[in-house]
Amino acid sequence: MSLVVNGERHVLTVDNRTSLLNLLREQLALPGTKKGCDAGACGACTVLVDGQRVNACLMLAVRLEGAEVTTIEGLAADDDDELHPLQQAFVEQDAFQCGFCTPGQIMSGIGCMQEGHTGSQEEIREWMSGNICRCGCYVKIVNAIQQAGNGK
Ligand code: FES
Ligand code: FES
């Protein structure tokens, strides 16, 4: 199969049971996407597929022929490592503790912004409800998404 990950095309042989999450972490050596529950319940594995946020643990890699996948490793600008505005907002708002959920929170937050769901803190909470943070950083995560979503 062939797919594009973070702008780079890959031609791969995959087992038909391989999840997108395992493909990224084990075959493409992109461990930024985290495995929390491996069952669609925590959001730690969130990536963008053709611009839409998905749980990579629930998606079979073989379904992604020709798809464009973006992971946390693909966000910063290549030339000068400039952070994506939402990555920068997470830093400025101190929106993490252990950081395990953070890649998924950021990828889901980008989806939330692209979908136009950053009108209020309540709206952000609703549309980010699939992303769990064991450290309880929700207030700061919402602040970061609101900051980036408003372009501040
Ligand atoms: S690891 Fe995919 S939702 Fe938890
Ligand atoms: S920062 Fe630790 S799980 Fe979210």
Side-chain angles (χ1 to χ4, degrees), residues 95-102 105 132-137 141:
F96 46 82
Q97 286 184 33
C98 76
F100 193 85
C101 74
T102 309
Q105 300 280 3
I132 307 300
C133 175
R134 283 185 297 194
C135 301
C137 298
I141 291 169

Side-chain angles (χ1 to χ4, degrees), residues 37-78:
C37 64
D38 208 20
C42 74
C45 64
T46 307
V47 298
L48 302 181
V49 173
D50 294 330
Q52 304 291 313
R53 47 183 167 161
V54 303
N55 288 336
C57 68
L58 293 184
M59 180 153 287
L60 288 174
V62 288
R63 290 187 55 201
L64 296 173
E65 176 64 41
E68 295 211 14
V69 179
T70 305
T71 73
I72 192 75
E73 289 94 339
L75 290 187
D78 275 347

Side-chain angles (χ1 to χ4, degrees), residues 48 75 84 86 105-115:
L48 302 181
L75 290 187
H84 183 282
L86 187 53
Q105 300 280 3
I106 289 175
M107 298 312 294
S108 197
I110 289 171
C112 190
M113 289 161 58
Q114 289 175 349
E115 295 155 17

